[in-house]
Amino acid sequence: MTRIFSGIKPTGHMTLGNYLGALRRWVETDQHRADALFSVVDLHALTVEHDPARVRRLSRQAATLMLAAGLDPERCTLFVQSHVDEHARLSYLLECTAADGELRRMIQYKEKSTRAQAAGEGVRLSLLTYPVLMAADILAYGTDEVPVGDDQTQHVELTRDLAVRFNQRYGHTFTVPKATRPPVAARVMDLQDPDSKMGKSHESGAGIVYLLDEADLVRKKIMRAVTDSGREVEYDPEGRPGLANLLEILAACTEGNPVELAGVYESYGALKRDTADAVVELLKPVRARHAALAADAGYVDEVLRKGADRARGMARPRVDAAYAAIGLLPR
Ligand code: AMP
Ligand code: TRP
């Protein structure tokens, strides 16, 4: 059976980008067709300045939202990364497989380290090594497929390179995984700044739809989305990114096609209204289930405990095999 692994970092409140780019597909297809693991990858939240209480709160909230969105603990394994030691254990071996230069080339590292420096914050060493930990997350489980949004493609490529290199040097140990992306909305853009990704940790929330935003606020954010001064509605991601973003969001919500949808609309206003309605409808059940689940922290904790037990059992033998293959004496 195909093995799937993916994760979400608890660095901020979950966004529509997380939902359309990743979570929704995990729920609707991945957990039904494969042996799937989904993780709140909390160790990754420590790579930038963080507040311990906030990371703790966001980790539980992320797990609750993943369940609210429809991940079913009977069908998939849902767990918190730091509850399974094998990730960090394997990460070190992969640090001994990766080269300094290939990590410095990662786009996210370049962007985030530049931003941290500009803000007068130090750049944590873990920000540089973060893709290696991500590779460990994936390789520990013999993962075949990694369903992610566009921004993670480069990290999955690195993971493939490390798997191939390790296998060549030390004998076949790891499955070489591949990234899979959603057909539309693989990169949802910020509504106020359609040239950049809708990301959790943006300073201003005006261009970001959070999954737990009230319906009125979601409407307001979408109605105020930045477009352009044109009149015709056409799908042109390069030339008219704001408009294309709305068309992609609407297409993703309605299982439509952005090019065809562009032909349906005469005005930006009508497109925005329908997009706002579609997003509000899509998120309504998630919000309702989140409210119910958030009232039952015991249930969520129990799901996470069982998930971690199962994940540990799956990762341990492969990580032990990697320790032996690389030349460490078995215990
Ligand atoms: P992160 O929030 O960075 O941990 O991302 C969790 C998942 O959501 C990853 O698969 C990302 O690729 C995906 N994702 C995050 N932001 C977006 C976005 N704006 N558009 C599409 N996918 C996204
Ligand atoms: N790096 C991913 C992100 O920023 C999160 C992540 C960590 C992940 N480990 C993973 C995604 C393993 C897929 C598989 O979105």
Side-chain angles (χ1 to χ4, degrees), residues 166-247:
F166 191 101
N167 288 345
Q168 274 168 355
R169 285 186 190 161
Y170 309 114
H172 186 82
T173 310
F174 298 120
T175 305
V176 181
K178 67 169 198 283
T180 60
R181 61 199 293 283
V184 278
R187 183 181 289 263
V188 178
M189 308 308 274
D190 189 290
L191 297 170
Q192 289 299 317
D193 174 14
D195 291 319
S196 45
K197 169 184 92 153
M198 183 183 284
K200 287 195 207 102
S201 34
H202 245 248
E203 309 79 54
S204 145
I208 306 169
V209 173
Y210 295 104
L211 299 190
L212 293 179
D213 279 346
E214 301 277 347
D216 284 351
L217 185 57
V218 172
R219 279 214 171 76
K220 202 179 287 170
K221 287 176 175 176
I222 294 176
M223 294 308 291
R224 290 185 184 160
V226 168
T227 44
D228 53 60
S229 54
R231 317 208 71 189
E232 308 253 299
V233 177
E234 58 171 9
Y235 180 66
D236 173 10
E238 296 274 304
R240 304 169 76 183
L243 192 58
N245 192 34
L246 291 170
L247 288 164

Side-chain angles (χ1 to χ4, degrees), residues 93-98 162-174 321-328:
L93 299 199
L94 297 177
E95 282 185 21
C96 301
T97 308
L162 296 181
V164 168
R165 196 177 306 155
F166 191 101
N167 288 345
Q168 274 168 355
R169 285 186 190 161
Y170 309 114
H172 186 82
T173 310
F174 298 120
Y323 266 66
I326 207 168
L328 300 170

Side-chain angles (χ1 to χ4, degrees), residues 6-11 14-23 26 41 108 112 130 147-152 182 185-190 197-200:
S6 200
I8 291 194
K9 315 191 278 289
T11 43
M14 247 195 254
T15 71
L16 184 65
N18 294 134
Y19 189 68
L20 296 180
L23 182 54
W26 304 349
V41 285
Q108 262 193 8
K112 289 191 181 176
Y130 148 96
V148 281
D150 258 1
D151 60 328
Q152 296 303 314
R187 183 181 289 263
V188 178
M189 308 308 274
D190 189 290
K197 169 184 92 153
M198 183 183 284
K200 287 195 207 102

Side-chain angles (χ1 to χ4, degrees), residues 223-285:
M223 294 308 291
R224 290 185 184 160
V226 168
T227 44
D228 53 60
S229 54
R231 317 208 71 189
E232 308 253 299
V233 177
E234 58 171 9
Y235 180 66
D236 173 10
E238 296 274 304
R240 304 169 76 183
L243 192 58
N245 192 34
L246 291 170
L247 288 164
E248 289 213 18
I249 293 172
L250 180 59
C253 293
T254 58
E255 315 277 329
N257 168 315
V259 180
E260 282 168 20
L261 283 171
V264 172
Y265 288 93
E266 307 263 313
S267 78
Y268 290 11
L271 169 64
K272 285 181 174 176
R273 255 189 313 279
D274 282 3
T275 305
D277 285 344
V279 171
V280 166
E281 279 309 304
L282 190 73
L283 298 187
K284 201 187 276 173

